[in-house]
Amino acid sequence: LRVFNVHLRPPLELSGGALLSSARTTASVRLGEARSLMRACPDADLVAGDFNEADGSAALATLAAAGFGDALAEWVPRRKETHLWPLARGLTLRKRLDHVAYRTARLACVGCGVLSGFEEGASDHQPVLARLVGR
C-alpha cells in the first residue's frame, strides 16, 4: 500500500499575507502539486492530508481522473467543516480543506468522519478519519 500525506500550498501570498483573492490565485499551484504527485507516483493508493482545497476542486479532480475517490465528499455532509479559523468579533471561518483520497480500484471506503474536540490548543484543522478496506 503506497500512502502519501500531503500539505498542498496554503492560500497565502509569497509575502505570507492573505488576501481575499489568495485562495483563487494560489489554486493553480495546488493543481500543479497534485499533477506532479500523480506523475511521480502513478501507483499511489492513498493521498491524504491538508489539500487547502474544497470538495470538487481542480486538485481533487486531478486525483479523481486518476481513479481516486474522496472519502470526505462521499461520507461527510457538506455542512461539516475540517478547518476552523477564528476571526474578529466572534466570527469563525469554516472550510473543508482536508481530504482522504483513495484508489477506488484497490480500496473501498466504508466510512469517514471528522473528529471534533481538537479546536483548543491543537490545530485549526480537524482530523479526518476514514475506514478503508482492500478490494
Side-chain angles (χ1 to χ4, degrees), residues 22-71:
S22 297
R24 188 184 78 256
T25 59
T26 57
S28 63
V29 175
R30 290 184 293 281
L31 174 58
E33 291 171 334
R35 287 177 174 163
S36 292
L37 176 63
M38 289 295 93
R39 277 193 306 273
C41 307
D43 57 348
D45 296 307
L46 183 68
V47 181
D50 182 356
F51 282 74
N52 279 305
E53 293 276 338
D55 297 2
S57 69
L60 287 163
T62 295
L63 295 178
F68 284 80
D70 182 352

Side-chain angles (χ1 to χ4, degrees), residues 40-122:
C41 307
D43 57 348
D45 296 307
L46 183 68
V47 181
D50 182 356
F51 282 74
N52 279 305
E53 293 276 338
D55 297 2
S57 69
L60 287 163
T62 295
L63 295 178
F68 284 80
D70 182 352
L72 183 77
E74 294 167 8
W75 286 88
V76 179
R78 291 180 84 63
R79 68 183 179 278
K80 181 63 178 168
E81 62 282 327
T82 68
H83 175 259
L84 304 171
W85 189 261
L87 301 171
R89 298 185 193 126
L91 298 174
T92 301
L93 181 64
R94 300 170 185 272
K95 296 183 178 183
R96 289 167 60 101
L97 302 178
D98 306 273
H99 300 271
V100 176
Y102 62 96
R103 176 95 51 193
T104 58
R106 298 181 195 151
L107 299 168
C109 183
V110 296
C112 182
V114 178
L115 304 181
S116 297
F118 295 86
E119 296 85 2
E120 297 297 323

